[in-house]
Amino acid sequence: MSKTFTSERVVVLGGDDPKKPVKRSFGHVAENVDDEKLIAFGKIVAEITGDALIAINVTDVHQVKEDPAA
């Protein structure tokens, strides 16, 4: 079996109510972005939208294939 990175998505959650956050999604993020860069990005999004930063969710997408029998 082989596992290949295909994409990474980031969702920045903001707003005044953590129970009903505003979700802003971003795709085509580079593989293995470090936490410091993600936090800096989230703060920029919060600043330009005027919303408080609640959280940042990161989803890695990998493609899994079965290797052909040798």
Side-chain angles (χ1 to χ4, degrees), residues 8-10 12 29 33-43 53 56-58:
E8 187 162 272
R9 295 192 52 79
V10 173
V12 177
V29 178
V33 175
D34 62 49
D35 293 345
E36 291 80 19
K37 289 180 183 176
L38 289 170
I39 291 169
F41 179 71
K43 287 179 179 179
L53 177 61
I56 302 168
N57 296 339
V58 180

Side-chain angles (χ1 to χ4, degrees), residues 8-46:
E8 187 162 272
R9 295 192 52 79
V10 173
V11 177
V12 177
L13 304 174
D16 296 327
D17 185 358
K19 293 181 181 179
K20 294 181 182 178
V22 177
K23 299 177 183 178
R24 293 181 173 87
S25 299
F26 302 89
H28 307 290
V29 178
E31 184 177 12
N32 297 324
V33 175
D34 62 49
D35 293 345
E36 291 80 19
K37 289 180 183 176
L38 289 170
I39 291 169
F41 179 71
K43 287 179 179 179
I44 291 168
V45 172

